[in-house]
Amino acid sequence: MGVETLVNQGKNKEIPELITIQKVQFETLEELVSFFSKENLKYYISGGTVLGSTYFKNFIPYDDDIDIAMPRSDFNRFLELVKDSKFSSKYLNIAHYSLDKEFKYTSIRVQNKKLDVVDISNTSGGLTFPSIDIAAIDGSPNNRLRRWFYFKKLLFLRGELTLAYFDTINLLKKRTTIQKVEIKLIQFLGKFLTPSPVKVKQKIDKTLSKYSMEKSEYSGTYMGAYKEKEFIKTTCWGHPKSYEFNQKYYMGPENTEAYISELYGNFTYYEQDEQHNDRHYFLPTEGNS
């Protein structure tokens, strides 16, 4: 599908509630990037944000989140700056399991307390805040066989983490039959086996940190939705390059065409009924809680 066709599709009727969430997400991005620039931290817009920048120079019209990735060294340095209280903000809150042992993920989550939203992945219910997740970019073994075993080890560790949170699995998410069977098994085992979530996350980070992206043929963000499929040729990331997003410019992968091709194949613009299902957040007034 050509870029012109995608842009025309992006001119669908705007949803005011969605625009409100996008505006707050963009403000979060602006404040973060300002701090990154000040501290000379390397970052990339990633995932759906790269798609939005490439085809719309903005959000994908029905999207409501922003993705950021940082090389592990910069990711760790940002965390240390947060712990040393070098990052301060009126509205932004930084969450990570090293800051709060109750936090579920290995990524850094930046919440904007300016707006209350309903997060459809929040199985406990209640209101939360729109957020930007920052994922660490790690490398992998250059030997193909070692890389295969490496990903199997990470898959096992990821399974351990899922087991630790068996009672918070989002059952509303669309899944394959095999995934549904796996979840049933995890829910059963979780009643008898309860690994320490923090220890599992520490093991995952220790394993991922063994290989830097700079010395690896393939690198990526393993704890994302696509696991090892998110490991692409490091040359796709390359040196961060400036791209337009919402009339401003941010750093992204050097070769976006190869990045999109390796990660997504071809970008498909969702039909109207699919667009609603792709959203992460709703305003309480939208009646989707």
Side-chain angles (χ1 to χ4, degrees), residues 197-211:
V198 171
K199 288 183 179 179
V200 176
K201 282 176 271 195
Q202 288 172 339
K203 285 194 289 184
I204 288 171
D205 279 346
K206 183 177 180 181
T207 301
L208 286 167
S209 299
K210 287 182 180 179
Y211 301 95

Side-chain angles (χ1 to χ4, degrees), residues 9-10 14 44 47 54 56 67 69-70 73 84 95 102 121-122 141 164 175 178 191 212 239 243 255 261 288:
Q9 285 181 312
E14 293 182 340
Y44 300 84
T54 300
F56 305 101
D67 304 296
M70 304 178 84
S73 57
D84 291 341
E102 300 301 321
S121 68
N122 183 9
R175 302 179 191 274
I178 293 176
K191 296 176 182 178
S212 69
H239 298 287
Y243 298 96
N255 190 338
S261 176
N288 286 285

Side-chain angles (χ1 to χ4, degrees), residues 120-121 123 158 169-183 225-227 270-280:
I120 62 171
S121 68
T123 57
R158 187 163 169 153
I169 296 173
N170 181 10
L171 300 177
L172 298 177
K173 185 177 178 182
K174 183 184 275 188
R175 302 179 191 274
T176 65
T177 302
I178 293 176
Q179 288 173 330
K180 290 177 181 177
V181 171
E182 290 173 342
I183 288 172
Y226 303 117
K227 306 180 184 71
Y270 285 169
E271 298 297 331
Q272 200 71 34
D273 59 335
E274 296 175 300
Q275 294 179 15
H276 184 276
N277 295 331
D278 193 57
R279 287 180 59 182
H280 300 79

